């Protein structure tokens, strides 16, 4: 219906809360209006063209609840909603409420029903809108353009707001019951006139029950109560379905989160358990290979690193030992820069410095 997202949902939520209040008083509607800060619905539109479009859409949306087949309470709430929207809009001059000529007799009948039911606050609101010239009378409900093939979207009626189609109530009204009561009383009097005993009619003339009208009235009231209870059960079932759907969605989200967490835990477990622990007799070689790979020879094959280490090992002089110590310090500093843990290497007793015998000088 509206191109503004969330506009129809907000209007229906306000009218639904007014319907649950089970009243048609303007005072209660004003409280619901203030609680939801509904006067701020036109805020945020800076340009005049955008304000005009938004106001037209909003008034058109609220106007559809003011007409049949919606229930009496929803129509009164829509009247209050139109009054509030018309007076809080930011357009200058004000945008008017579009009313088709074919709908005007129905609106006049609704106004007379308000007066007969003594809902004077709603009747006053309607009269105030008429005196303010808030209605724009048109030939068609929507604007039509010349030679345009545009499919008119039908408004989707909300079942909770609709006036239940009750053929019993439309057939047996208060006026009909009153007329039946008068006819029944006149019928009883005529039977007494033509009877031998003028005080009471003859039994041969008793063709219908004496309490026919009262019984018909009781059946009608019982049908109305049954229909109201049925509507309440329908609304309660719908609310329970919505609550159960929300719970299922929450449980589904929690299960998805737990599955994702368990998958991450499995990945971490596999990655950490993939590290192979070397035997105690070969730990010093493992450490040397890791330090060599993480150092300046990163990316080279382990065979090359072994060859380099073998080239340095045969020398038994002090210079070779010093070079080896400097290389070890450099390797440890490189591993510190990379962020790997520092592992102290165990000294191999086979690689201790071998003291060479001193050569004797020749005299």
């Amino acid at each position: 219906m509206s191109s503004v997202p969330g506009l129809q949902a907000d209007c229906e939520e306000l009218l639904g809360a007014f319907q649950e209040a089970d009243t048609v008083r303007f005072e209660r509607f004003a409280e619901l209006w203030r609680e939801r800060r509904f006067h701020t619905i036109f805020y945020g539109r800076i340009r005049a063209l955008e304000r005009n479009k938004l106001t037209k859409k909003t008034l058109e949306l609220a106007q559809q609840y003011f007409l049949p087949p919606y229930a009496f309470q929803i129509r009164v709430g829509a009247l209050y909603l139109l009054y509030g929207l018309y007076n809080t809009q930011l357009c200058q001059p004000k945008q008017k409420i579009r009313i088709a000529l074919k709908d005007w007799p129905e609106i006049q009948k609704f106004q007379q029903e308000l007066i007969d039911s003594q809902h004077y606050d709603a009747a006053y609101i309607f009269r105030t809108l008429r005196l303010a010239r808030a209605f724009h009378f048109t030939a068609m409900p929507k604007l039509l353009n010349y030679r345009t093939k545009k499919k008119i979207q039908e408004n989707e009626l909300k079942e909770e707001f609709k006036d239940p189609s009750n053929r019993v109530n439309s057939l047996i009204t208060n006026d009909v019951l009153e007329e039946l009561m008068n006819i029944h009383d006149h019928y009883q009097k005529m039977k007494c006139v033509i009877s031998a005993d003028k005080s009471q009619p003859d039994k041969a003339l008793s063709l219908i029950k004496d309490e026919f009208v009262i019984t018909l009235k009781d059946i009608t009231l019982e049908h109305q109560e049954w229909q109201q209870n049925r509507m309440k059960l329908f609304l309660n079932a719908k609310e329970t379905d919505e609550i159960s759907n929300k719970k299922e969605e929450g449980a589904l989200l929690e299960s998805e989160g737990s599955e994702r967490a368990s998958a991450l835990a499995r990945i971490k477990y596999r990655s950490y358990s993939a590290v192979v622990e070397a035997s105690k007799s070969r730990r010093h070689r493992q450490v040397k290979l890791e330090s060599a790979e993480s150092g300046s020879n990163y990316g080279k094959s382990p065979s090359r690193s072994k060859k380099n280490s073998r080239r340095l090992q045969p020398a038994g002089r002090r210079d070779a030992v010093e070079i080896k110590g400097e290389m070890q310090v450099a390797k440890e500093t490189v591993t510190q820069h990379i962020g790997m843990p520092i592992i102290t290497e165990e000294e191999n007793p086979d690689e201790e410095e071998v003291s060479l015998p001193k050569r004797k000088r020749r005299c």
Side-chain angles (χ1 to χ4, degrees), residues 21 58 112 125 152 176 222 249 265 277 353 363:
T58 307
Q112 189 61 39
I125 294 295
I152 299 176
V176 172
E222 185 179 355
E249 290 177 359
E277 188 177 357
E353 183 180 354
C363 298

Side-chain angles (χ1 to χ4, degrees), residues 86-104:
Y86 179 79
N87 288 285
T88 56
Q89 61 175 299
L90 304 177
C91 300
Q92 292 295 333
K94 290 182 177 294
Q95 296 293 328
K96 296 187 177 183
I97 303 166
R98 188 183 181 94
I99 299 293
L101 292 178
K102 68 180 184 65
D103 298 328
W104 184 245

Side-chain angles (χ1 to χ4, degrees), residues 152-219:
I152 299 176
Q153 296 180 355
E154 296 182 357
N155 300 330
E156 296 181 358
L157 302 179
K158 194 169 184 179
E159 295 295 332
E160 293 84 350
F161 293 171
K162 286 176 60 177
D163 192 8
S165 58
N166 192 348
R167 297 185 181 273
V168 176
N169 292 338
S170 61
L171 181 62
I172 304 174
T173 60
N174 293 329
D175 296 336
V176 172
L177 288 174
E178 186 178 357
E179 189 67 24
L180 285 174
M181 183 69 73
N182 295 332
I183 294 172
H184 186 70
D185 292 340
H186 184 67
Y187 175 67
Q188 293 291 338
K189 291 178 181 179
M190 290 302 296
K191 286 195 298 182
C192 293
V193 169
I194 62 176
S195 299
D197 187 5
K198 302 298 182 180
S199 61
Q200 59 182 3
D202 294 337
K203 292 182 179 180
L205 299 176
S206 298
L207 302 178
I208 63 173
K209 294 181 179 180
D210 295 338
E211 298 179 352
F212 170 73
V213 181
I214 298 175
T215 305
L216 181 62
K217 183 179 179 181
D218 294 339
I219 292 173

Side-chain angles (χ1 to χ4, degrees), residues 13 36 50 73 95 103 143 166 190 201 205 249 272 308-309 341:
E13 196 272 336
R36 288 157 179 78
E50 293 181 354
Q73 190 178 5
Q95 296 293 328
D103 298 328
L143 183 64
N166 192 348
M190 290 302 296
L205 299 176
E249 290 177 359
Y272 285 118
N308 294 335
S309 61

Side-chain angles (χ1 to χ4, degrees), residues 7 42 85 102 120 124 214 216 220 253 258 275-276 299 318 352 354 360:
L7 178 61
F42 298 112
L85 294 174
K102 68 180 184 65
Y120 296 123
Y124 174 78
I214 298 175
L216 181 62
T220 306
L253 292 175
S258 60
V275 179
V276 180
R318 289 183 179 272
E352 292 180 354
V354 180
K360 296 180 179 181

